[in-house]
Amino acid sequence: MLIDPFDRHITYVRISVTDRCDFRCVYCMAEDMTFLPKKDLLTLEELARLCGAFVDRGIRKIRLTGGEPLVRRNVMWLIREVGREVGTGRLDELTITTNGSQLGRFADDLASAGVRRINVSLDTLDKARFEAITRWGKYDKVMAGIEVAKAAGLAIKINAVALKSVNEHEFDRMIEWCGREGFDLTLIETMPLGDIDGDRTDQYLPLSRVRADLERRWTLTDIPYRTGGPARYVEIKETGGRLGFITPLTHNFCESCNRVRVTCTGTMYMCLGQEDAIDLRAPLRASESNELLDEAIRAGIARKPKGHDFVIDRRAAKPAVRRHMSVTGG
Ligand code: SAM
Ligand code: SF4
């Protein structure tokens, strides 16, 4: 078992399989991004071995993310490899976070590889607004992909970043749509990660305010439902659906943190909001057995900090954390 200095059991790993993406969401990336040289990336075989080592150490849930995980070439091979651990019962869940652009191609394969649930990031149901937020995204393709995923039997959670003056008047419509489609919906506060073109203080919308506003029209009841992530859920009486809130800024959820993140180059970050990290690529490559790797994983977990110190502050010229969300993986 992996247990950190604050007695939190680490059972969940998020792995970014690529820092590249076919979108350029305004809160996530600058339009002109420099990506890592492909040679620095862990190979798919190395990623599979890493997942196996984590499962051996008691990890029960793996999320593949990015960048856009489904644009990495041959990523389905990795998903099938890791999905086998769901079949053997050593892993409770293998899931992905995706922008939906490739779901039309891959949803059926995901379902047959052992993926049961996926998170699709979709901030708006308005085509023009979607194309403005994602810069390069194609709305119709994403919506068609979501339909294919639904038909393939995948449980879908829609993740929307709450953006002031951008999508804040759309949440009612999104709640209704998700209710009709049978999707969960989670709203996320923007986090100060990486340089973007523009000022984040202009985007930041506290979810405490959103919830208070929604409660004027919807009956929201707190429920203990958890998916292993940081969202806190309510049930919406009128739709019967679930609505989650991820509130790193208004409500710090670190005390129950059960996870670590690994980048596509094998750097393990023990906290999304801190710079401290440990390299897993060198121990992975130094030996065919996993002893060195295990040692590095343990050393990292022993340094897991108590929590992040996010603030979105107009006076701070720099983001709280220099790396983008697409590096650490959302
Ligand atoms: N490309 C995939 C996608 O968009 O779902 C996976 C990676 S993306 C980095 C994962 C999640 O992080 C997305 O839901 C995205 O909206 C969210 N995200 C990106 N940058 C963020 C930021 N600065 N603050 C909060 N959420 C962010
Ligand atoms: Fe790409 Fe996801 Fe970042 Fe949007 S949020 S730019 S889809 S990695």
Side-chain angles (χ1 to χ4, degrees):
M1 284 295 281
L2 296 169
I3 300 176
D4 82 356
F6 303 95
D7 212 26
R8 294 171 297 193
H9 289 225
I10 309 305
T11 53
Y12 182 4
V13 179
R14 294 189 180 195
I15 301 183
S16 172
V17 299
T18 175
D19 63 331
R20 287 165 199 253
C21 188
D22 51 345
F23 291 8
R24 290 289 181 279
C25 303
V26 290
Y27 48 76
C28 180
M29 293 191 183
E31 187 151 23
D32 176 22
M33 292 284 289
T34 309
F35 293 110
L36 294 161
K38 289 204 172 133
K39 64 173 177 35
D40 289 355
L41 265 55
L42 296 184
T43 64
L44 293 173
E45 289 76 8
E46 287 169 336
L47 284 166
R49 199 179 131 204
L50 189 64
C51 289
F54 273 116
V55 172
D56 289 344
R57 300 273 71 77
I59 290 295
R60 302 294 310 177
K61 173 168 174 176
I62 294 179
R63 174 178 300 280
L64 302 182
T65 175
E68 174 47 42
L70 297 180
V71 301
R72 173 129 187 204
R73 192 180 306 164
N74 283 336
V75 72
M76 277 312 308
W77 176 86
L78 174 66
I79 295 174
R80 277 193 297 273
E81 279 298 300
V82 183
R84 267 192 248 283
E85 300 281 22
V86 179
T88 61
R90 295 208 314 146
L91 195 61
D92 293 333
E93 186 166 43
L94 169 65
T95 180
I96 64 163
T97 301
T98 175
N99 65 23
S101 68
Q102 309 300 315
L103 281 175
R105 276 205 290 162
F106 289 131
D108 288 328
D109 291 347
L110 288 170
S112 57
V115 174
R116 302 278 167 263
R117 293 191 314 134
I118 59 172
N119 288 0
V120 183
S121 305
L122 181 74
D123 304 318
T124 173
L125 292 170
D126 179 283
K127 182 173 171 165
R129 193 170 296 139
F130 175 90
E131 292 178 359
I133 294 174
T134 61
R135 292 194 185 105
W136 297 1
K138 298 279 176 283
Y139 180 76
D140 295 335
K141 191 173 176 197
V142 168
M143 296 308 277
I146 292 174
E147 284 310 309
V148 176
K150 183 180 169 187
L154 294 170
I156 295 173
K157 180 159 77 86
I158 301 293
N159 281 344
V161 176
L163 299 164
K164 189 158 71 185
S165 321
V166 176
N167 62 359
E168 66 177 309
H169 303 297
E170 264 202 80
F171 300 144
D172 289 336
R173 189 172 164 206
M174 293 188 77
I175 287 173
E176 281 162 13
W177 177 69
C178 286
R180 269 198 315 278
E181 294 284 338
F183 304 156
D184 287 344
L185 171 66
T186 293
L187 302 178
I188 307 173
E189 288 174 347
T190 64
M191 293 173 242
L193 303 175
D195 277 320
I196 53 169
D197 308 320
D199 184 349
R200 271 182 215 283
T201 45
D202 293 339
Q203 301 177 342
Y204 174 58
L205 179 62
L207 287 182
S208 45
R209 214 171 83 192
V210 172
R211 179 172 174 161
D213 176 57
L214 290 175
E215 280 179 325
R216 290 163 42 201
R217 293 174 303 285
W218 304 94
T219 315
L220 307 182
T221 311
D222 287 305
I223 50 170
Y225 176 75
R226 295 279 184 276
T227 59
R232 295 293 172 262
Y233 286 88
V234 296
E235 193 176 78
I236 307 169
K237 189 172 163 212
E238 290 77 3
T239 66
R242 278 186 294 247
L243 173 65
F245 295 93
I246 299 187
T247 55
L249 287 107
T250 53
H251 173 81
N252 192 319
F253 45 58
C254 305
E255 68 282 357
S256 58
C257 184
N258 59 351
R259 59 199 157 276
V260 291
R261 296 162 196 265
V262 183
T263 70
C264 55
T265 55
T267 304
M268 179 165 82
Y269 284 96
M270 285 69 79
C271 174
L272 177 64
Q274 301 281 357
E275 302 285 3
D276 190 28
I278 198 153
D279 176 39
L280 302 182
R281 186 176 58 185
L284 188 69
R285 289 185 175 169
S287 145
E288 277 178 17
S289 86
N290 283 352
E291 277 163 37
L292 296 173
L293 180 60
D294 286 346
E295 222 171 89
I297 292 173
R298 283 188 188 286
I301 302 291
R303 295 209 313 247
K304 187 167 161 64
K306 196 162 181 208
H308 66 69
D309 317 299
F310 287 145
V311 263
I312 291 199
D313 184 350
R314 208 176 275 282
R315 286 162 304 176
K318 286 279 151 208
V321 171
R322 279 197 319 275
R323 59 188 191 277
H324 289 89
M325 186 73 135
S326 52
V327 171
T328 336

